[in-house]
Amino acid sequence: RVGAGRWGMQRSITAAIAGADDGVVISVTPGEYRENLFLDRSVTVVAEQHSDSVRVISARGPALTVAGGAGVIRELTLELESGGGPAVLLSGGAVVLERCVVTGGQVEISGEAAPVLRDCQICRTAEMGLKLGGDSRARVHGGSVSGTRGTGVLVEAGAMPELRGLVVNRSGGDGICSRGFSGGLFDDCTVSDACGVGLRVADSAAPQMRRCRVHGGKADGVYVTATPRDPLGEQAATDSPDPLAAEAGCLVLDACEISGTAGTALAAADEGLVVLRDCRIDRPGKVGISASGHSTIRSVACRVTDAGDTGLVAADHAMLKVSGGSVVRPGANGLFATGQVIVCLDHVELADSTFSAVHLGEMARAELTACMVSGSRQHGLRVTGSALLLAADTSIDGSNMSGVSVEERGDAELTRCRITGSRTGITLAAAHRSLVHDCEITRCGRSGLEIDSGGALLRDTRIRETGAAGLVVAAVAGPVVAIGCEISGTGGIGVVLRSATITELRRCTVTRTATNGIYVGDDTGPLLEDCTVSATSYPALYVGERAQPVVRRCRFQDVAQDVALAATAEAVFEECLADGVTASKLPGTAVARALPGGAASQAMEGAGGGEDDGTAAVPADDLHSLLAELNGLIGLDRVKRDVTLMVNLSRMVRQRESAGLPPPPVSRHLVFVGNPGTGKTTVARLYGRLLHSLGMLASGHLTEAGRSDLVGEYVGHTAPKTEAVFRRALGGVLFIDEAYALAPAGTPNDFGQEALATLVKLMEDHRDETVVIVAGYPEHMRRFVSANPGLASRFTRTLHFDDYTNENLVEIVRHQAASHRYELTVPTVSALDEFFGSIVRDDGFGNGRTARQVFQGMTERHAQRVSLLGDPTQEELSLLLPEDLPESGDLS
């Protein structure tokens, strides 16, 4: 026993410890003991009566130091009277502190100490409350840390503590700070009213938080800047779609709650990695969950409610993946994404946003799958800047503005989405061509779908019960193709077409409209093919002044009047039918007319006449004229034969489908092999027009691309670039020249591999909408096709483009001369044949390009010669002579 001034007792605890063997119990009577205890053996020191009856006070240095042993300290108050530093220092052993009170200085655990603290109170410390460092393995069960001037709990170096049921309250700095290479488990802990961050995780720390709570506080609830550890760091440095596939080395929060923070509830910056599961975030003063820098956050089944600002934020180069859960009543957006971020939302509810539920800006990319968006006071989904939205199986309900709005240079692909109760269903006002596939737009206060600028590809989409028009294509809109769509129950016109660019409606149904079914504006020329218009209150089709629509195989039924034409309208009707029409104005004789078109001649291929950006749809030329154009190409006998065979196969496929028979397996994707200048681009463009004339492609336009168009410069950039190019090609042909550059030999980690993987997936997802043609040198293309397992199965047909013969090259020059009103004499033709025979056909030989260079050189030498004649005649101005041929060395 210890009792100051009492007979038969030790006068100090220090003396009792010094004279005790292992296993001895030292009982201390009530009182103040001014001493510094040092424990290095397994003895028990216990207050004889109750907690707070024994106070050990140190004027300088720790009141208790434990260097070893497995002793027990029970119900003592350990106090540092003045100065900084620890009141309790545990540097070794496995001491147990039970129901102790520590005040004036922190509890510091270091070295390889493995103490246990049970229901201890650490309060009113000059600096931090509990410091865990070294390689310690402390266990803290219950108890509290309160009223510290600095951080409540600091975990650093390689410490791996286990903290259960600890309460950290009113800390002057951060509530809990984990840094260094520390980790450990925090279970059922509470942090409240911290002046700093509730939980700060930095360096390479990776604590695991379970059932913890962060309440109140004057800053952020959780702030993470931790950099990933190996092996996760190696994984995150690659182009992996999910750097959190493994959870080692990142902060994990399970079933945690963050509420009432003044700042953001959870913020990850720099390279922070965070996993949240079944967490609740309530009433943060600012953002609910924020990812910035190069951080990554994965949230599973979490709920964010009543954020003072935005619910979810992703900025810079961050990745945010949210599965399940909800964002409800945010003070701004439900999700705000900007920079070059990647956001994936799967089965997430976004409800009652003050601003747009989802706002995408700059180069953000967001994928929404099976999400529910409701009650937005602005737009449901808004895409601006150069952002990309991919939404599938998602519902948008009750938006005060547009359900989906795509603006500026934004791009969107909507698949099987449902948009109800918005002022406008979808507004497209971007430069790109958005895709709307198998969507349903109902009960909109104004129009169902408005295309203000840019273009769109609409497939199998239903627009019903709108307050105004169903589909509106504005005057400045780009190419629009609608296939298999249904517009019904509109409060105004069913379809309004005002754009002068290519607009096509194929196999569409328009019924039950309050005014016209289809309104064709002035000076337009859309194509309406295989459409049905019925039950309209005004004439089913109105054609404005100077409009030149082609109306082919359309049916007008159950209307008072089928067609109303303005005085100067020049509509063309082919094989149309009026059924149940009270006053039919449909012309009795169908007028056949080929739409204007015509491909660029083969002689102009490669002359630098500009690139097709994929936004202009190709008119539907007559099949026979296109085949004649193909056969009129110079040379290319094998190619002509192969293309004709594929066209006949495609015709048979359509005939079998019309007869109700299953079509045979057909792969329309092609490999073009051949040297430069052999007409590959010309044939690719013609192939798209042929498939368009057969109804196999919606527009048949050609989009050209190379490696620089598809491959990004940094991690995460390649897939969006490839998808953007592919989207421009929807409905037509994507032509990738020098495709082998996507799979350079000897570089397995090249970003081109990601472009190929993305391309293979897109080809499968849109296998009936787009044809992909890859081209290059024969020896390189064999290696290219074998670079990805999916390429060989999709590119099963190869077309060989042979080099041009001397006769072919002469014919190209003759064609060029005729186009520019020059004449070739017979000796000039003979000289040309000899000239082409003398050219060395090495890697620099350009075939048709070389022929065009020769013609250009001839015109330049001709101009020099004629300029010396003084007053040349018209014949002299037009006649090319043998001396006008350039020297072979002049060709570059």
Side-chain angles (χ1 to χ4, degrees), residues 175-193:
I176 299 173
C177 177
S178 184
R179 66 192 187 193
F181 280 86
S182 63
L185 171 65
F186 293 75
D187 186 8
D188 195 25
C189 296
T190 299
V191 179
S192 61
D193 300 322

Side-chain angles (χ1 to χ4, degrees), residues 394-413:
T394 291
S395 63
I396 302 105
D397 181 58
S399 302
N400 283 2
M401 298 173 72
S402 298
V404 179
S405 178
V406 185
E407 307 163 22
E408 299 176 9
R409 299 171 304 283
D411 201 356
E413 178 178 326

Side-chain angles (χ1 to χ4, degrees), residues 239 363 365 388 611-613 703-730 733-744 750-760 762-763 770-775 781 784 791 795:
D239 203 10
M363 296 182 66
R365 168 195 169 98
L388 170 64
E611 295 184 359
D612 190 341
D613 63 1
T703 300
E704 296 184 61
R707 176 185 168 89
S708 61
D709 302 302
L710 303 173
V711 176
E713 300 175 357
Y714 48 84
V715 172
H717 191 209
T718 296
K721 286 192 69 172
T722 303
E723 290 176 0
V725 172
F726 195 91
R727 197 170 315 286
R728 293 201 302 269
L730 283 173
V733 173
L734 174 59
F735 181 75
I736 306 175
D737 199 8
E738 297 183 355
Y740 50 82
L742 295 174
D750 184 79
F751 287 163
Q753 293 293 339
E754 184 190 2
L756 291 179
T758 304
L759 186 64
V760 168
L762 291 170
M763 291 168 66
T770 303
V771 168
V772 178
I773 298 176
V774 293
M781 292 308 294
F784 166 76
L791 293 177
F795 292 103

